[in-house]
């Protein structure tokens, strides 16, 4: 473990606020590694689903025991969540995992495990971490805290454009907005805005604009020369 204090940029916000893609891009610009804390909740959920028992039977001790199958591996620009030592990106982003993950994310023991795993990653690298409570529960001393928000309709529209690779209809956006609002409600307890976070409303910003603003703020507070 290094003695040099590591830089932590914590980016929180609700589902589909663009946290993960923005964080990844910011990390690449700064030469930091991106840690997606949600990927740990997702990987644990996928590991539990692989076991075959229905989610109603998952006790907190079963969940915590399965945590030993999940590791974070440092790659070129990010940490990747592995299940039994192998990447499972497509599986953890799928609808089946998404439907059960908030059940897992609500369990205090699971949260403690995710938080400890993410903190460990930040001991060896400068990081951009994204999630719901990175700037509060996990890194209250983060170098910079950003809370991303966006209008639910716009979040739903962006998500559909990404998924369908075409312009969604008004009806499709309305249905997706409904689902997003339901997810926001399920995750509400965990989604905490730090008092000292910079709130960035991305409703009318493009992704490059969001990234630019965060990179500028990060450079201002971290006093390190730009990577390129
Ligand atoms: O951001 P995401 O959709 O990948 O998150 C997956 C789930 O994990 C979602 O239910 C919210 C939860 N989560 C959380 O409670 N705390 C975090 N720091 C990150 C994600």
């Amino acid at each position: 473990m290094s003695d040099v204090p590591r830089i932590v940029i914590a980016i929180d916000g609700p589902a589909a606020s663009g946290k993960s893609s923005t964080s990844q891009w910011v990390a690449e610009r700064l030469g930091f590694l991106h840690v997606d804390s949600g990927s740990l909740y997702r990987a644990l959920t996928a590991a539990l689903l692989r076991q075959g028992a229905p989610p109603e039977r998952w006790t907190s001790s079963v969940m915590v025991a399965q945590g030993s199958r999940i590791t974070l591996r440092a790659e070129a620009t990010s940490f990747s969540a592995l299940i039994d030592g192998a990447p499972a990106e497509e599986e953890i982003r799928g609808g089946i995992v998404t439907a059960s993950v908030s059940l897992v994310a609500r369990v205090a023991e699971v949260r403690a495990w995710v938080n400890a795993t993410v903190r460990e990653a930040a001991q060896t690298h400068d990081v951009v971490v994204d999630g719901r409570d990175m700037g509060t529960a996990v890194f209250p001393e983060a170098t910079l805290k950003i809370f991303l928000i966006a209008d639910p309709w716009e979040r739903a529209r962006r998500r559909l454009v990404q998924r369908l690779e075409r312009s969604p209809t008004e009806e499709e956006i309305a249905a997706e907005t409904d689902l997003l609002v339901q997810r926001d409600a399920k995750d509400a307890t965990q989604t905490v805005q730090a008092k000292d976070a910079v709130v960035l409303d991305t409703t009318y910003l493009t992704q490059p604009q969001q990234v630019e603003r965060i990179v500028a703020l990060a450079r201002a507070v971290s006093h390190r020369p730009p990577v390129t």
Side-chain angles (χ1 to χ4, degrees):
M1 196 173 99
S2 154
D3 288 338
V4 181
R6 293 294 177 183
I7 298 173
V8 175
I9 314 287
I11 304 186
D12 291 306
S17 56
K19 295 182 305 288
S20 263
S21 44
T22 301
S23 302
Q24 179 61 44
W25 204 340
V26 169
E28 287 174 26
R29 288 284 303 280
L30 296 170
F32 294 4
L33 292 197
H34 172 216
V35 189
D36 171 2
S37 60
S39 71
L40 287 167
Y41 292 105
R42 287 177 175 275
L44 180 59
T45 306
L48 286 156
L49 285 163
R50 284 187 192 178
Q51 292 291 97
E56 314 79 78
R57 303 250 302 273
W58 300 348
T59 60
S60 53
S61 51
V62 164
M63 291 183 195
V64 170
Q66 292 297 313
S68 62
R69 296 170 59 196
I70 316 297
T71 44
L72 270 186
R73 182 171 72 194
E75 289 168 1
T77 60
S78 62
F79 278 90
S80 204
L82 309 181
I83 308 175
D84 301 327
E89 196 52 29
E90 208 173 308
E91 180 182 352
I92 72 172
R93 304 286 160 200
I96 302 170
V97 167
T98 301
S100 298
V101 65
S102 54
L103 190 80
V104 173
R106 236 178 273 146
V107 175
E109 292 87 341
V110 171
R111 301 199 72 77
W113 164 74
V114 168
N115 296 352
T117 308
V118 173
R119 280 194 202 105
E120 205 179 304
Q123 283 182 349
T124 51
H125 296 81
D126 294 328
V127 289
V128 179
V129 286
D130 81 275
R132 302 294 194 286
D133 55 353
M134 294 297 108
T136 51
V138 189
F139 298 105
E141 306 301 328
T143 321
L144 174 68
K145 302 176 186 178
I146 304 285
F147 198 80
L148 285 186
I149 56 170
D151 177 79
W153 182 273
E154 178 58 17
R155 284 192 278 140
R157 193 193 65 77
R158 288 176 187 167
R159 176 147 282 190
L160 285 171
V161 168
Q162 197 176 39
R163 192 186 305 149
L164 306 173
E165 296 178 355
R166 63 165 168 82
S167 292
T169 64
E170 298 271 302
E171 289 74 22
E172 285 170 332
I173 303 174
E176 187 69 20
T177 303
D178 227 44
L179 292 176
L180 258 187
V181 170
Q182 285 176 35
R183 260 195 85 193
D184 284 352
K186 279 192 201 162
D187 294 333
T189 335
Q190 289 96 265
T191 310
V192 194
Q193 182 187 321
K195 286 195 181 69
D196 51 349
V198 176
V199 179
L200 200 56
D201 183 342
T202 71
T203 308
Y204 303 107
L205 294 179
T206 63
Q207 192 158 46
Q209 288 172 327
Q210 295 171 39
V211 170
E212 245 2 278
R213 288 185 190 202
I214 300 172
V215 166
L217 287 167
R219 285 186 179 148
V221 295
S222 59
H223 311 296
R224 293 224 184 136
V227 166
T228 41

